[in-house]
């Protein structure tokens, strides 16, 4: 089956990068990081097999895992805390004696509900559960509540009902309709599920980011290790996922540079509205920077099978995990603070 021509997210990223005023890419740092990452990947290969090693991720590749991934990526947004990254008050979930914050606190909420016998990953449940039932799933083990709780309930209901009414209640059916094409699945997700339609208006053009739609595809591909329902012949067309964590790592690695005005704004923790030009430049130029890094690493790797195959997904997962395991080092780089259901 012919795949779609190209990923609209990559075209959008290139367009915004061409007109970006406050965010730039340092080509020398891209070159340096390409070499460094290739060496790191030769020493410690990073592949889809790493996905199931995260303790909170499913460790099976079946329909239950698909349902889990679909619900988590429907809710995979806005975990940064008003109280501050290091605040003891920030939203947290304790599960099996471990305290989770950020993205992992979401996974802990879902796994805690499942452990309590609540079928939370079933669309038949979350499309019709009461406010009290859903609020209890996100209860906090700290002073702060989960950010954007009302929006989370709304997207669960909206998405659950669409899945029930149009796709028989399972995201596996959406995957099966796309003949193994990631770009067809990306188009289906962003057409059928409004909360995944992550777009912006930039210089009179509609630009696509599609962060949660792309990471949904990536998580399924990684969980299934590219087999069965996770097999996509065009998976390498998926781009980096424009969140608020990977840009922080890219700035730390000097690949991204911010204007002094933007740097000052972020350092005083000034919020950026969703759709603000600065927010879009950070997100889009991050996507383009990872694309340049990917192209360079693919070229340098050549046909050397000693390093695993490179694509934007694995680079993104690697950079995100790097940011999460180097929080002290990255503390000098401020994240941008945008409340959004898109990332
Ligand atoms: N670009 C990118 N963004 C990602 C992820 C993930 C989770 N993926 C992991 C799970 C399996 C894979 O192997 C990955 O290790 C979450 N996020 C975003 O980060 C933000 C949360 O940050 P913090 O508040 O610090 O936890 C929020 O916008 C969330 O949407 C990723 O991988 N890439």
């Amino acid at each position: 089956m012919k795949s779609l021509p190209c990923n609209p997210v990559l075209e959008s990223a290139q367009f915004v990068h061409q007109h970006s005023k406050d965010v730039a890419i340092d080509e020398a740092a891209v070159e340096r990081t390409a070499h460094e990452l290739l060496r790191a990947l030769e020493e410690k290969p990073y592949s889809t097999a790493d996905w199931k090693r995260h303790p909170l991720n499913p460790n099976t590749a079946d329909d239950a895992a698909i349902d889990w991934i679909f619900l988590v990526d429907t809710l995979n947004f806005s975990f940064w805390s008003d109280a501050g990254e290091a605040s003891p008050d920030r939203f947290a979930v304790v599960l099996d004696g471990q305290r989770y914050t950020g993205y992992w606190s979401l996974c802990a909420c879902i796994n805690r509900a499942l452990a309590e016998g609540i079928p939370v990953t079933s669309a038949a449940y979350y499309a019709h559960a009461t406010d009290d039932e859903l609020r209890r799933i996100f209860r906090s083990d700290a002073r702060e509540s989960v950010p954007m709780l009302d929006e989370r309930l709304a997207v669960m209901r909206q998405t659950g009902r669409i899945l029930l009414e149009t796709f028989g209640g399972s995201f596996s059916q959406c995957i099966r309709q796309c003949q193994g094409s990631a770009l067809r699945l990306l188009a289906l997700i962003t057409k059928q599920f409004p909360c995944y339609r992550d777009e912006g208006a930039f210089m009179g053009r509609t630009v696509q980011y599609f962060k949660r739609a792309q990471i949904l595809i990536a998580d399924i591909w990684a969980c299934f290790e590219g087999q069965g329902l996770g097999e996509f012949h065009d998976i390498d067309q998926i781009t980096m996922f424009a969140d608020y964590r990977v840009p922080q790592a890219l700035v730390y690695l000097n690949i991204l540079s911010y204007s002094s005005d933007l740097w000052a704004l972020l350092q005083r923790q000034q919020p950026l509205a969703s759709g603000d030009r600065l927010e879009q430049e950070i997100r889009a130029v991050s996507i383009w920077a990872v694309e340049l890094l990917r192209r360079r690493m693919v070229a340098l790797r050549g046909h050397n099978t000693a390093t695993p195959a490179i694509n934007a997904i694995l680079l993104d997962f690697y950079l995100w995990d790097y940011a999460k395991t180097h929080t002290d080092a990255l503390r000098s780089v401020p994240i941008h603070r945008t409340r959004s259901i898109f990332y």
Side-chain angles (χ1 to χ4, degrees), residues 61 220-232:
I220 290 166
W221 172 71
C223 177
F224 283 71
E225 298 187 48
Q227 309 297 316
L229 283 173
E231 183 176 1
F232 299 103

Side-chain angles (χ1 to χ4, degrees), residues 76 103 211 241 243-245 316-317 320-321 324 343:
N76 187 357
Y103 165 76
K211 184 261 175 197
F241 321 118
D243 70 318
Y244 53 82
R245 191 59 65 201
D316 176 285
F317 282 168
W320 193 86
D321 288 345
K324 298 298 284 182
Y343 64 99

Side-chain angles (χ1 to χ4, degrees), residues 118 120 122-135 137 153 156-157 161:
I118 299 167
V120 62
S122 155
Y125 175 82
Y126 60 81
H128 302 301
T130 65
D131 272 11
D132 286 349
E133 285 169 325
L134 294 181
R135 288 182 188 283
I137 286 166
L153 271 49
M156 283 172 96
R157 291 207 172 95
R161 287 177 189 156

Side-chain angles (χ1 to χ4, degrees), residues 6-291:
C6 71
N7 188 335
V9 175
L10 201 56
E11 280 184 309
S12 297
Q14 185 169 32
F15 173 74
V16 174
H17 174 245
Q18 281 163 350
H19 299 87
S20 176
K21 296 192 183 71
D22 288 83
V23 183
I25 292 172
D26 179 327
E27 302 263 355
V30 170
E31 182 68 20
R32 190 170 53 247
T33 306
H35 287 277
E36 286 165 4
L37 270 191
L38 271 175
R39 264 197 307 280
L41 291 174
E42 268 170 33
E43 279 157 34
K44 185 174 180 293
Y46 190 85
S47 73
T48 54
D50 290 280
W51 193 88
K52 284 200 276 295
R53 291 195 188 106
H54 285 283
L56 294 184
N57 281 346
N59 52 21
T60 57
D62 51 22
D63 280 356
I66 297 262
D67 290 343
W68 187 95
I69 291 168
F70 183 67
L71 177 62
V72 164
D73 280 327
T74 295
L75 294 164
N76 187 357
F77 56 84
S78 211
F79 302 106
W80 60 266
S81 163
D82 289 317
E85 303 270 296
S87 166
D89 292 340
R90 71 175 297 188
F91 174 65
V93 176
V94 176
L95 186 67
D96 302 330
Q98 182 78 32
R99 183 177 178 274
Y100 296 98
T101 60
Y103 165 76
W104 295 117
S105 67
L106 165 64
C107 300
C109 285
I110 301 303
N111 291 1
R112 177 176 63 184
L114 290 169
E116 292 169 349
I118 299 167
V120 62
T121 55
S122 155
Y125 175 82
Y126 60 81
H128 302 301
T130 65
D131 272 11
D132 286 349
E133 285 169 325
L134 294 181
R135 288 182 188 283
R136 180 171 155 69
I137 286 166
F138 295 101
R139 67 187 186 278
S140 177
D141 291 319
R143 199 188 302 270
E144 204 178 54
S145 303
V146 64
M148 302 186 84
L149 180 53
D150 291 342
E151 289 83 353
R152 294 183 199 278
L153 271 49
V155 298
M156 283 172 96
R157 291 207 172 95
Q158 180 190 59
T159 303
R161 287 177 189 156
I162 294 167
L163 203 61
L164 287 170
E165 289 158 14
T166 314
F167 300 104
S170 169
F171 188 68
S172 313
Q173 188 172 323
C174 302
I175 301 170
R176 291 192 179 92
Q177 287 186 17
C178 296
Q179 301 99 20
S181 166
L183 292 186
R184 285 186 183 284
L185 185 53
L186 179 61
L188 181 151
I189 296 164
T190 51
K191 179 167 179 282
Q192 298 288 345
F193 299 98
C195 79
Y196 278 89
R197 212 166 292 151
D198 174 8
E199 298 178 319
F202 190 87
M203 293 180 64
R205 259 184 64 164
T206 300
V207 290
Q208 284 76 32
Y209 298 97
F210 291 168
K211 184 261 175 197
R212 291 197 288 104
Q214 291 201 104
I215 200 170
L216 168 56
I217 296 167
D219 281 339
I220 290 166
W221 172 71
C223 177
F224 283 71
E225 298 187 48
Q227 309 297 316
L229 283 173
E231 183 176 1
F232 299 103
H233 57 78
D234 54 351
I235 192 66
D236 290 350
Q237 300 263 350
I238 296 294
T239 75
M240 169 262 183
F241 321 118
D243 70 318
Y244 53 82
R245 191 59 65 201
V246 174
Q248 185 188 33
L250 293 172
V251 171
Y252 177 74
L253 294 168
N254 297 310
I255 288 179
L256 274 199
S257 64
Y258 291 160
S259 67
S260 51
D261 288 353
L262 174 56
W263 190 269
L265 180 149
L266 297 178
Q267 279 210 302
R268 60 175 181 268
Q269 299 196 345
Q270 182 174 327
L272 279 180
S274 177
D276 184 294
R277 173 181 66 83
L278 294 170
E279 180 227 14
Q280 294 201 60
E281 288 188 9
I282 292 170
R283 299 185 75 198
V285 181
S286 295
I287 292 170
W288 192 246
V290 172
E291 173 61 12

